[in-house]
Amino acid sequence: MEAPIIIFDLVGEDVTKTITPTKLVQMRGNIDKAVIEDNVLQLIGWAASVNAGPVESLRVSYSGKEFTDFEMAFGIKSPDVKEIFPNLECAQKSRFRIRIPLNQEEQQQIRDSLIVVTPLFKEGEGGSILYLLEPSLPLPSEDDSELMIWIGSNALATFSRTAIEFLGYFLEMAALKPTDSVLDVGCGMGRIAYTLAYYLAPTTRYEGFDIMEPLIQWAQNNIAPRFPNFNFRRVDIYNKLYNHNGTLPATEFVFPYEDESFDFVFLGSVFTHIPACEVRHYLEEIYRVLKPGGRCLCTVFLHNEESAKLIAAGKSSANLVHEIDDYFATSLDMPEMFTGFKEDLLLGWIGSSGFTVKGKYYGLWCGRTEFISYQDILILHKD
């Protein structure tokens, strides 16, 4: 047998060994296939750690319910994973198979739901590997391609993949709970809302706003009718690139929400398209609407010694070479195309706004060989 098999009994006890996670392990993983056949849910995927050795067990849940009776095999040969991620430990034997018997009620419940697989290592618990099984929410189609160009290249093909990727970050980096109220600043078509709809409790509040009417209209038409706790609104903020007819300066915009009304705020690729004065104002507004203990995850371009060297060497996909006042841009004519900030300066603004930086994760954008996502990620905490 090429992989160890562990059978869980009906109370969830591992008959081979008990693993007690002690910390969050840095890892990568994916579910490549999930299918229900002959009353059995089959999951095929892979998981490998950065420096915590091989997977020793797996935990599986959906909609907050954990499975306690299933069969799993792990440590399966995976030369394809090793080729793509040569620096991950045990990448050459990182694949797993899971078989979960389902009764008729479970088969109905698990369809159109979010499946969560959590790898367990000797040193601790890995991040969540997520998979949407037979989602009924519509995805953007070729008919929406003109809208998709506003949220990134190849966005049509990667819409749900990006949504799942960031939900994973929310869970791992910001400890997002299903009962946390969420504000999505620059929500676009609802790409992040797409998976949050399957994770947040039906009574949990989600609010998203954006400056582009067609994007908001898509989310209102395709997500809000199925999930009435999800609300999308358009705001007429001026931005030279995205809303040049906007009537309201961003520095005067007050988020249309009460003080201390959200547990979590997300800004995906917002601070990468606005100047420093608007970033500082948004930080103040985010702090205002967050509850004490609330968190914010934002993506940014951090200009530091490493990224500056990579930009100068021509490695970066965001050529932040023009310094304008207290930020960097790729274009003098259209600074909003891409904006970045000196790391120590931005962290100073964040601190002055009252936040504590709880996490900093560097991205691929400048040509790094080791990264978490495309853009840099910051986790802010309101004490």
Side-chain angles (χ1 to χ4, degrees):
M1 184 180 299
E2 69 172 350
I5 298 290
I6 294 179
I7 307 296
F8 276 75
D9 68 11
L10 293 178
V11 294
E13 181 183 356
D14 180 345
V15 299
T16 304
K17 65 170 71 175
T18 300
I19 298 173
T20 304
T22 58
K23 66 178 182 179
L24 183 64
V25 170
Q26 188 176 356
M27 54 149 282
R28 289 182 180 271
N30 189 54
I31 298 175
D32 300 320
K33 181 180 180 181
V35 62
I36 298 175
E37 293 180 346
D38 300 324
N39 302 321
V40 174
L41 171 63
Q42 299 185 54
L43 303 173
I44 299 173
W46 65 273
S49 72
V50 173
N51 55 13
V55 171
E56 298 201 356
S57 187
L58 298 161
R59 191 167 66 236
V60 187
S61 64
Y62 77 99
S63 300
K65 304 174 184 178
E66 188 167 337
F67 286 108
T68 58
D69 180 17
F70 63 93
E71 175 185 306
M72 61 182 170
F74 48 87
I76 303 171
K77 292 180 180 179
S78 49
D80 55 332
V81 177
K82 178 66 175 178
E83 183 178 357
I84 299 173
F85 300 102
N87 296 325
L88 293 178
E89 286 193 359
C90 307
Q92 72 277 8
K93 289 187 176 181
S94 60
R95 288 205 170 274
F96 60 78
R97 295 193 305 268
I98 299 172
R99 289 174 52 84
I100 305 174
L102 303 174
N103 58 39
Q104 289 299 316
E105 182 180 0
E106 289 172 330
Q107 288 189 52
Q108 292 300 319
Q109 292 176 343
I110 201 169
R111 287 186 164 91
D112 197 26
S113 72
L114 181 72
I115 297 173
V116 182
V117 174
T118 305
L120 304 178
F121 301 84
K122 183 177 181 179
E123 295 185 4
E125 182 176 303
S128 301
I129 306 175
L130 310 175
Y131 191 93
L132 279 174
L133 183 65
E134 302 178 17
S136 61
L137 272 180
L139 287 168
S141 67
E142 294 294 341
D143 294 337
D144 305 305
S145 58
E146 291 186 5
L147 301 181
M148 299 295 286
I149 62 174
W150 294 105
I151 60 173
S153 59
N154 203 31
L156 187 62
T158 63
F159 188 92
S160 60
R161 189 191 315 164
T162 301
I164 289 173
E165 173 191 352
F166 272 88
L167 179 56
Y169 297 155
F170 299 165
L171 272 60
E172 296 164 28
M173 300 175 184
L176 183 71
K177 301 186 295 294
T179 53
D180 282 341
S181 51
V182 175
L183 173 60
D184 189 354
V185 177
C187 64
M189 298 175 71
R191 178 167 54 181
I192 299 303
Y194 189 89
T195 45
L196 281 174
Y198 287 96
Y199 177 74
L200 296 180
T203 55
T204 299
R205 180 189 185 193
Y206 167 96
E207 295 282 344
F209 68 79
D210 200 274
I211 64 178
M212 297 192 67
E213 178 67 32
L215 302 186
I216 286 294
Q217 193 65 53
W218 194 96
Q220 289 174 334
N221 292 342
N222 292 280
I223 299 177
R226 271 281 314 277
F227 295 91
N229 56 321
F230 276 61
N231 182 54
F232 303 90
R233 71 172 76 194
R234 193 247 176 171
V235 293
D236 195 26
I237 300 172
Y238 171 80
N239 182 279
K240 187 175 181 180
L241 177 62
Y242 290 101
N243 189 30
H244 62 273
N245 291 321
T247 59
L248 181 64
T251 52
E252 298 178 12
F253 174 63
V254 177
F255 290 5
Y257 313 104
E258 298 294 326
D259 295 357
E260 300 183 357
S261 52
F262 294 97
D263 299 292
F264 180 71
V265 176
F266 171 63
L267 297 92
S269 201
V270 174
F271 288 169
T272 57
H273 296 288
I274 60 176
C277 58
E278 296 178 12
V279 169
R280 293 196 295 270
H281 175 69
Y282 273 39
L283 286 170
E284 294 173 355
E285 282 297 292
I286 294 164
Y287 189 88
R288 179 183 65 80
V289 301
L290 271 177
K291 301 175 184 177
R295 294 88 66 211
C296 171
L297 187 153
C298 57
T299 68
V300 294
F301 292 139
L302 294 174
H303 203 282
N304 53 31
E305 184 177 353
E306 180 189 19
S307 60
K309 288 181 179 179
L310 290 168
I311 291 170
K315 303 289 186 181
S316 178
S317 58
N319 198 26
L320 298 167
V321 296
H322 303 289
E323 190 167 2
I324 307 172
D325 297 327
D326 46 7
Y327 70 98
F328 291 88
T330 59
S331 169
L332 291 174
D333 295 331
M334 185 68 73
E336 293 85 353
M337 184 68 70
F338 286 116
T339 56
F341 307 91
K342 288 183 178 178
E343 182 174 326
D344 57 352
L345 191 60
L346 177 58
L347 296 183
W349 300 336
I350 290 169
S352 297
S353 298
F355 286 108
T356 301
V357 177
K358 291 293 188 179
K360 180 172 61 178
Y361 307 88
Y362 292 123
L364 166 67
W365 67 275
C366 60
R368 290 186 181 91
T369 56
E370 295 185 9
F371 53 88
I372 295 295
S373 187
Y374 172 67
Q375 295 181 9
D376 303 319
I377 295 175
L378 294 176
I379 307 297
L380 316 183
H381 186 269
K382 179 177 178 177
D383 298 325

